Amino acid sequence: MKENDIHSPPRTASERRGTARPWLLALVLLTSVEAAAQIVNVQALFDEAASPSGLSGSGELSLDWRTGSTEMVVVRGAVLGQWRTQKHTLLGVVRGEYGYAQDTLLVSKFLEHLRYRYRFADWLAGETFVQHELDAFRRLRLRGLVGAGPRFTLWKLGGGVAHPRRGGDAGVRAAAQ
């Protein structure tokens, strides 16, 4: 043994924390509880090539009311709004479903999603979103998601065939996820 090893100065608290952080992160990631998530695909609603510039939106409401041996009522609704310019796109979706039969809750679920995209170039955009979900039957009281990142347009669709994107082309774009 070297003399330096025996008499080395004790490590400081900040040195000990620095080596513990990666292990703590690994422990948290490996022991997290089971996630019961449902994928909500809003990309189909976010078609920039098919959407008009400016403000657009739609709404839907339905009522399923049945009587007879079983009384049942289910209400469903959805609202979609979008604002789009050449560089900015903002999309909002709210939908829900609530129903009961014979004083028993059948369904109670709601989803709100807001997404913003800023196009820096034909091939590059920045995107951010926030989402809230509630579903009583999946025992999901609150599921909140927040995300942000770059979005790259790698291909252009033309005539049903994917072609590598060429600078300056306008048309339908498929963005790689």
Side-chain angles (χ1 to χ4, degrees):
M1 250 189 212
K2 295 180 184 176
E3 191 174 329
N4 295 3
D5 292 339
I6 296 171
H7 300 291
S8 62
R11 291 177 18 182
T12 64
S14 64
E15 288 174 331
R16 286 191 301 269
R17 277 194 304 265
T19 58
R21 286 183 182 153
W23 290 106
L24 180 60
L25 178 62
L27 180 66
V28 168
L29 292 175
L30 293 174
T31 60
S32 61
V33 295
E34 178 184 334
Q38 175 182 0
I39 295 174
V40 178
N41 182 12
V42 297
Q43 293 303 317
L45 305 173
F46 215 116
D47 186 3
E48 290 178 326
S51 300
S53 287
L55 190 61
S56 62
S58 65
E60 180 180 308
L61 181 64
S62 69
L63 173 68
D64 185 0
W65 183 9
R66 299 178 190 187
T67 60
S69 60
T70 302
E71 301 273 333
M72 182 179 86
V73 174
V74 178
V75 178
R76 293 177 191 90
V79 175
L80 168 70
Q82 183 171 318
W83 172 72
R84 194 168 83 76
T85 66
Q86 186 175 359
K87 292 206 175 267
H88 304 273
T89 305
L90 180 66
L91 172 78
V93 178
V94 177
R95 61 182 177 210
E97 187 173 358
Y98 183 82
Y100 64 92
Q102 304 293 68
D103 298 327
T104 302
L105 187 63
L106 292 176
V107 63
S108 176
K109 60 183 176 180
F110 301 93
L111 168 82
E112 301 89 29
H113 184 95
L114 184 65
R115 183 172 296 250
Y116 172 73
R117 183 180 298 160
Y118 180 81
R119 185 151 303 279
F120 295 103
D122 227 15
W123 60 275
L124 176 65
E127 190 167 283
T128 185
F129 72 91
V130 62
Q131 178 177 306
H132 166 263
E133 186 178 11
L134 163 94
D135 190 333
F137 289 93
R138 289 185 8 228
R139 288 186 273 169
L140 185 61
R141 287 190 210 157
L142 168 69
R143 176 180 175 230
L145 298 173
V146 176
R151 183 176 179 88
F152 301 98
T153 302
L154 302 176
W155 293 277
K156 158 188 143 152
L157 292 179
V161 179
H163 301 283
R165 197 195 69 68
R166 292 182 293 276
D169 286 345
V172 181
R173 294 177 184 93
Q177 292 290 334

